[in-house]
Amino acid sequence: MEKWMNRAFLALLLAVLLAVPAGTALWSHRETTAYYENRTLAELPDLSWESLRDGSYGTDLESWYSDHAPGRTTLLELDTAVQLNVLRRPVVNDVVVNAPALLPKLDFDEYTEEAYQYSAQPIAEDFGAISAFVEGCGGQFYYAGFPEQRVYFEDLFPDYLNSHAQEAETADRVFAQALSDAGVTFWDMRQVYEELGHPAEYYSTVDHHYNYYGAYAAYRAILEKLAAQDWDLPVLTEADIDFVELPNPYIGSRNRKLYNLWPNTDRAVIGVQKDPVAYTRWDNGALSDKPLFVLPAEDYMPTTYNLYMGGDFAETVLETDRPELPDVLIFGDSFTNALETLLYASFDETHILDLRHYTEKSLKDYVAEYRPDIVLCIQNDTFYYTATGNGAVWEDAADGT
Amino acid sequence: MSFGSMVFLFGFLPAVLLCYFLLPARWRSGRNGVLLVFSLIFYAWGGAALLPVLLLSCLGNWLLALLVFPGRRGRKGIYLAGILANVAMLGYYKYTGFLLGNLQALGLDITVPSIALPAGISFFTFQAIAYLTDVYRGTIPAEKNPARLTLFMAFFPQLLQGPILRYGEFAPALTDRRESSAEAAAGATRFCFGLAKKVLLADALGTIADAAFSSGDRLTMSLAWLGAVAYTLQLYFDFSGYTDMAIGLGRVLGFSLPENFNYPYVARSASEFWRRWHMTLSFWFRDYVYIPLGGNRCARGRQLLNLLAVWLLTGLWHGSAWNFVLWGLYYAALLMGEKFLWGKGLEKLPAPVRHAYALVLIVIGWVFFRSGSLAQVGQMLSAMFGAAPGGLWSGETTYYLLQFRWELLLAIPAALPVKCAVENWLRKQSGLPARAVLVLGPKALGFALLGWSVVRLLSSTFRSFLYFQF
């Protein structure tokens, strides 16, 4: 009996050992991206003498094999479910899960105020330079800074974790001061939200962005600030918009890391204009029929923050054919996306750049060519100290032109 | 190549098993050939550039052994030259940077070269020295077939982290071993348990240790102790997990590799700890350093000197840094103390007190071992004993306790002979259920642990075994 048990056990093990490489060989080509991890899967490395000699072939093949193991996504989802529901860890896949909102697990280390001051100055100088350049081209430059979700919900971190609340406050203050010293008009949306009572419904519990209510509040605040600068712009008031909560499940960037297993009731909201401002849309230079809100075909299909404008594009232009209104250039991170669906209605032409992807021209060349009346930078505070992407405002284009 | 990698588990391992078992059992040299080829592939996988070092060591020692067996003229000189060559090779790859770095620190204008360390060099060099010495002593005959000696030194299950083999024990298996389903099943089960020790326990506990040892000014007394205890457990599960996998693979292939651990954390003294921890290394130092130096059979002063030499070398064997030297000297002092000063008194104390004594000393010892510098040793130890820059407790400690509570809870019984006690209890039961649990339980659990380990491997960044660096 025991002999047969041993043989059965060995046969089962050998079957597993052989099934994995067989499955990988059969199905490895099917997927090239890991949706829940938001990354590209490793490619099969090229075999060369040099890569065998230095061992990099082995390392790269290991990455490829791990990425393409059959059933990988299902297994990782199962593992996440076990970590969440059985082992009940406070942090799963680098996401803090035992809080009223999903938050990132942050290091316990903090940077000092001196370190922020040191970093802020050159970045602020670049923004000062582009601001002066825009003015030289006949426009005005404004920077609207937003708290990221982890900053907005910093009070929700468990006591034993470092929310970096003090550090974020310091970093934001130092950055605002540096911009002010460089002559840049900076609008801190964190203060705006505080003045509005810090409503919890402005931010998603499962995503690092605000939600549409937060975007709308920011839109109104921005237009008020522009009005204070003597810009006479039409405004979409609450009476002009129906706020519609979509029935679709909403996969936020944080819950996505948890295979959407964290229970929540978050839903995406869109602002449907009762009397829509017509527009012509161009994406990356090509005429586009994409709507402002890209909705799933069916109610059961999940949606993400990418529904706003269809996600990040290198360049989008919205033309409303109202030459009496000024033109605006908006550049920045994905916080712009939800705002764009509102802001375009207040301008004739709305040019939108994401400098993380746009390489055709430098920002200053773009400004020099289109001469927008208003240039608006929109970034969340986790990008304040990033001198690349949308922080690279005073550089030549990536292709060297 | 690491045992805890996808390429090993689902590429190399099935390939070697298929090639090995598809050959007829009676064609022993064919099966040995398969093991040799796969062992060299296994070693070259991490970088073929350093494979010649291993091959040079194998062939050099094979040739030297042919010249040093009893009866040959001038064999003593050749033997000493051979030992010197092995030590020089180890010294060049492992200690050049350390030596020159220290000279540079003393003010000499020296460039410290960056020398890639061949994986497992400390292990295969010690096996080579043991082989050469045993042949020289006439304990074993010199191996005439270089392929067989190369297989002994490069045998993939134990090549990178031991256990350290003796050729006298290994050679008979090259011709006389017998693979069986019972042995293979037991070996495979042990392999699965070893993998789980590494992936599920050691890697998780390592996260705590890494955090504590790199916390700098945030270090609290509680975090220092938690980190030191976590490292104590991590190192055990990491190293003994590897050993379980090595012994398990050996059994699958019909080899009986020596045990390396015997529940070291149940020790009641530092001396007992070293009879239970990395036993093949302890035996190696005993047989090839301590006893040749005179061992216990000499004056007390000479005995102390012998102990000091052995532990200095033990420290240096583990790493080319001052903290390893200090760690070796720490154990030298403890063992001398237990041997000549407080050992007898210690034996009169109640067992729990002796156990606590040993555990505290072991944990402190691992602080020397894990620290990246002497300054960090001082920082950790002072924090553990009250002078922590961050005070007594911080949220960080709470977080690690909560995040890894399951691993911490599981690690303690897993480090104790609970499994043996359960097995013994089951063996004493006469009913069929007990028998079924005894037969099926480890296999079912091993299979489940293999699955879970693979899932964790897929979800975490690849981490190499700690003892690779030695």
Side-chain angles (χ1 to χ4, degrees):
Chain A
M1 181 65 178
E2 193 171 337
K3 190 175 170 182
W4 287 107
M5 290 280 189
N6 288 334
R7 288 185 177 179
F9 173 63
L10 290 170
L12 185 63
L13 270 183
L14 192 62
V16 171
L17 294 185
L18 293 171
V20 173
T24 307
L26 283 172
W27 301 310
S28 66
H29 60 281
R30 284 191 180 173
E31 289 181 353
T32 54
T33 56
Y35 170 75
Y36 290 103
E37 294 159 76
N38 196 22
R39 69 178 177 90
T40 306
L41 295 174
E43 290 181 14
L44 188 65
D46 292 327
L47 184 63
S48 69
W49 169 241
E50 187 52 36
S51 66
L52 279 175
R53 209 186 74 82
D54 64 18
S56 60
Y57 182 75
T59 312
D60 294 344
L61 189 70
E62 179 65 28
S63 302
W64 173 83
Y65 208 166
S66 298
D67 274 3
H68 294 273
R72 179 177 184 275
T73 305
T74 310
L75 289 171
L76 293 186
E77 186 175 347
L78 182 69
D79 181 56
T80 303
V82 170
Q83 308 289 326
L84 268 173
N85 303 315
V86 181
L87 303 178
R88 305 187 81 82
R89 296 198 199 271
V91 175
V92 178
N93 299 349
D94 290 331
V95 178
V96 179
V97 296
N98 65 343
L102 293 179
L103 299 160
K105 161 70 175 61
L106 303 173
D107 281 348
F108 285 92
D109 272 330
E110 288 191 1
Y111 289 103
T112 61
E113 183 164 344
E114 290 71 31
Y116 281 112
Q117 281 169 342
Y118 180 79
S119 304
Q121 195 188 350
I123 293 170
E125 281 172 3
D126 281 358
F127 276 99
I130 192 71
S131 177
F133 185 78
V134 170
E135 280 182 33
C137 293
Q140 288 294 319
F141 182 89
Y142 307 105
Y143 191 135
F146 287 79
E148 211 241 46
Q149 181 249 25
R150 71 170 173 83
V151 176
Y152 196 76
F153 287 144
E154 62 194 11
D155 295 341
L156 301 185
F157 276 89
D159 291 344
Y160 51 84
L161 290 177
N162 189 351
S163 68
H164 290 243
Q166 188 62 43
E167 187 188 18
E169 192 278 322
T170 303
D172 289 5
R173 176 172 46 78
V174 167
F175 188 70
Q177 185 60 50
L179 285 183
S180 172
D181 293 346
V184 178
T185 305
F186 178 70
W187 299 327
D188 188 352
M189 291 298 147
R190 196 175 176 183
Q191 283 176 11
V192 170
Y193 291 143
E194 289 304 318
E195 285 160 11
L196 292 168
H198 197 90
E201 61 268 24
Y202 278 9
Y203 272 71
S204 170
T205 61
V206 294
D207 192 273
H208 67 283
H209 297 101
Y210 48 25
N211 61 28
Y212 205 71
Y213 296 118
Y216 182 74
Y219 161 73
R220 293 299 299 267
I222 288 169
L223 284 196
E224 277 175 26
K225 287 175 187 297
L226 286 172
Q229 306 267 332
D230 294 333
W231 292 101
D232 184 18
L233 302 168
V235 179
L236 291 173
T237 64
E238 282 96 335
D240 301 319
I241 297 176
D242 282 331
F243 290 93
V244 178
E245 190 173 274
L246 299 178
N248 311 70
Y250 182 61
I251 304 184
S253 56
R254 306 224 194 280
N255 208 7
R256 183 174 172 172
K257 291 178 86 173
L258 300 170
Y259 294 80
N260 211 28
L261 293 172
W262 192 73
N264 69 93
T265 55
D266 256 33
R267 290 288 181 271
V269 173
I270 58 172
V272 180
Q273 296 171 41
K274 291 172 182 166
D275 184 15
V277 175
Y279 63 87
T280 307
R281 177 172 175 167
W282 304 78
D283 286 327
N284 300 329
L287 193 62
S288 168
D289 58 359
K290 269 199 163 54
L292 299 175
F293 306 104
V294 180
L295 305 180
E298 302 290 341
D299 286 354
Y300 69 86
M301 292 176 168
T303 187
T304 68
Y305 183 81
N306 277 352
L307 81 93
Y308 302 112
M309 298 298 290
D312 299 333
F313 287 90
E315 183 197 26
T316 293
V317 179
L318 298 169
E319 295 170 351
T320 61
D321 197 21
R322 294 176 295 173
E324 71 278 12
L325 292 176
D327 295 340
V328 65
L329 165 61
I330 303 168
F331 72 94
D333 60 38
S334 51
F335 271 68
T336 61
N337 299 4
L339 266 177
E340 289 158 18
T341 65
L342 297 158
L343 278 170
Y344 88 95
S346 302
F347 295 94
D348 176 27
E349 281 186 20
T350 303
H351 290 248
I352 303 147
L353 294 182
D354 188 335
L355 300 179
R356 291 173 297 185
H357 310 297
Y358 185 78
T359 55
E360 200 176 310
K361 295 185 186 73
S362 69
L363 182 62
K364 54 190 172 190
D365 289 344
Y366 198 95
V367 169
E369 184 171 338
Y370 291 102
R371 297 192 168 258
D373 302 295
I374 292 171
V375 175
L376 183 58
C377 172
I378 289 171
Q379 294 248 67
N380 80 75
D381 53 4
T382 60
F383 283 125
Y384 284 175
Y385 290 85
T386 304
T388 55
N390 290 299
V393 292
W394 196 239
E395 288 179 6
D396 293 332
D399 61 5
T401 58
Chain B
M1 195 185 299
S2 165
F3 291 162
S5 66
M6 290 294 290
V7 170
F8 178 84
L9 291 170
F10 301 109
F12 182 91
L13 190 55
V16 71
L17 291 177
L18 281 181
C19 292
Y20 184 84
F21 285 106
L22 283 177
L23 291 179
R26 62 181 179 279
W27 191 23
R28 193 51 64 191
S29 58
R31 286 191 169 186
N32 289 344
V34 167
L35 291 181
L36 177 59
V37 169
F38 275 94
S39 292
L40 296 178
I41 293 170
F42 179 87
Y43 191 79
W45 195 252
L50 293 170
L51 180 63
V53 178
L54 172 66
L55 290 175
L56 183 72
S57 177
C58 294
L59 295 176
N61 283 292
W62 166 74
L63 194 65
L64 284 165
L66 292 175
L67 304 172
V68 301
F69 67 84
R72 273 197 73 102
R73 282 180 57 196
R75 69 189 193 96
K76 188 172 183 180
I78 297 169
Y79 167 69
L80 290 175
I83 297 297
L84 200 65
N86 277 297
V87 173
M89 188 178 75
L90 185 61
Y92 170 74
Y93 283 107
K94 195 163 176 174
Y95 303 107
T96 306
F98 175 59
L99 188 69
L100 296 182
N102 280 298
L103 291 174
Q104 194 184 50
L106 288 172
L108 269 70
D109 186 17
I110 299 172
T111 308
V112 181
S114 173
I115 299 171
L117 183 69
I121 189 169
S122 303
F123 288 93
F124 68 71
T125 303
F126 267 35
Q127 287 192 181
I129 291 173
Y131 167 67
L132 209 55
T133 305
D134 288 350
V135 172
Y136 175 74
R137 288 173 180 169
T139 318
I140 57 169
E143 174 57 61
K144 292 188 173 60
N145 184 343
R148 285 161 60 99
L149 189 79
T150 304
L151 178 56
F152 159 68
M153 284 180 60
F155 187 47
F156 79 85
Q158 55 76 236
L159 172 59
L160 300 179
Q161 289 193 64
I164 298 169
L165 303 180
R166 309 287 178 90
Y167 194 64
E169 295 164 357
F170 186 81
L174 288 173
T175 47
D176 296 336
R177 70 181 180 278
R178 190 169 168 273
E179 300 86 350
S180 70
S181 59
E183 278 296 298
T189 306
R190 187 155 181 185
F191 179 88
C192 295
F193 275 86
L195 183 67
K197 277 165 121 179
K198 155 71 182 161
V199 176
L200 303 181
L201 289 179
D203 287 352
L205 295 164
T207 308
I208 306 175
D210 291 349
F213 278 86
S214 62
S215 58
D217 290 342
R218 297 194 322 270
L219 187 63
T220 58
M221 188 175 170
S222 56
L223 187 61
W225 274 104
L226 181 63
V229 169
Y231 184 67
T232 300
L233 293 166
Q234 179 202 3
L235 192 62
Y236 171 66
F237 289 115
D238 192 285
F239 195 14
S240 74
Y242 184 96
T243 304
D244 286 339
M245 285 187 265
I247 293 173
L249 283 173
R251 288 181 80 170
V252 170
L253 300 166
F255 291 85
S256 175
L257 303 186
E259 292 292 340
N260 226 3
F261 293 91
N262 183 19
Y263 297 103
Y265 295 149
V266 302
R268 291 167 183 177
S269 66
S271 320
E272 187 188 352
F273 170 71
W274 276 102
R275 289 194 295 274
R276 291 172 173 272
W277 176 274
H278 203 175
M279 295 184 295
T280 56
L281 180 71
S282 302
F283 297 154
W284 192 96
F285 272 111
R286 180 197 65 193
D287 295 345
Y288 300 104
V289 180
Y290 187 64
I291 291 174
L293 286 174
N296 296 333
R297 295 179 180 177
C298 50
R300 179 169 289 195
R302 181 60 194 261
Q303 269 190 63
L304 290 171
L305 208 61
N306 293 347
L307 273 173
L308 198 64
V310 164
W311 286 100
L312 190 66
L313 290 173
T314 303
L316 277 171
W317 182 88
H318 281 88
S320 51
W322 284 111
N323 59 303
F324 289 107
V325 174
L326 203 61
W327 175 75
L329 294 176
Y330 169 79
Y331 271 106
L334 286 179
L335 267 66
M336 286 175 192
E338 287 180 4
K339 197 174 178 72
F340 299 114
L341 295 173
W342 61 81
K344 287 195 175 116
L346 186 66
E347 282 172 17
K348 289 173 189 157
L349 293 172
V353 177
R354 287 156 60 197
H355 189 59
Y357 152 87
L359 271 182
V360 170
L361 291 178
I362 291 164
V363 170
I364 291 170
W366 291 137
V367 172
F368 288 106
F369 195 83
R370 170 62 177 76
S371 296
S373 65
L374 291 182
Q376 194 177 39
V377 172
Q379 187 197 32
M380 280 295 288
L381 289 179
S382 55
M384 286 165 74
F385 291 99
L392 185 66
W393 193 276
S394 65
E396 204 168 349
T397 310
T398 311
Y399 164 67
Y400 286 112
L401 282 170
L402 284 173
Q403 181 72 5
F404 296 105
R405 61 191 184 278
W406 297 109
E407 284 82 359
L408 288 164
L409 283 172
L410 193 63
I412 292 163
L416 302 173
V418 174
K419 180 174 153 274
C420 299
V422 172
E423 276 179 358
N424 288 338
W425 180 82
L426 284 170
R427 280 199 186 94
K428 285 176 191 161
Q429 309 306 307
S430 52
L432 185 66
R435 178 92 185 123
V437 169
L438 204 54
V439 174
L440 275 176
K443 294 182 183 67
L445 188 56
F447 194 73
L449 289 173
L450 172 70
W452 195 5
S453 301
V454 170
V455 173
R456 294 309 298 164
L457 277 178
L458 291 176
S459 67
S460 59
T461 334
F462 169 77
R463 297 178 195 201
S464 62
F465 284 85
L466 292 180
Y467 257 68
F468 269 9
Q469 59 186 299
F470 309 125

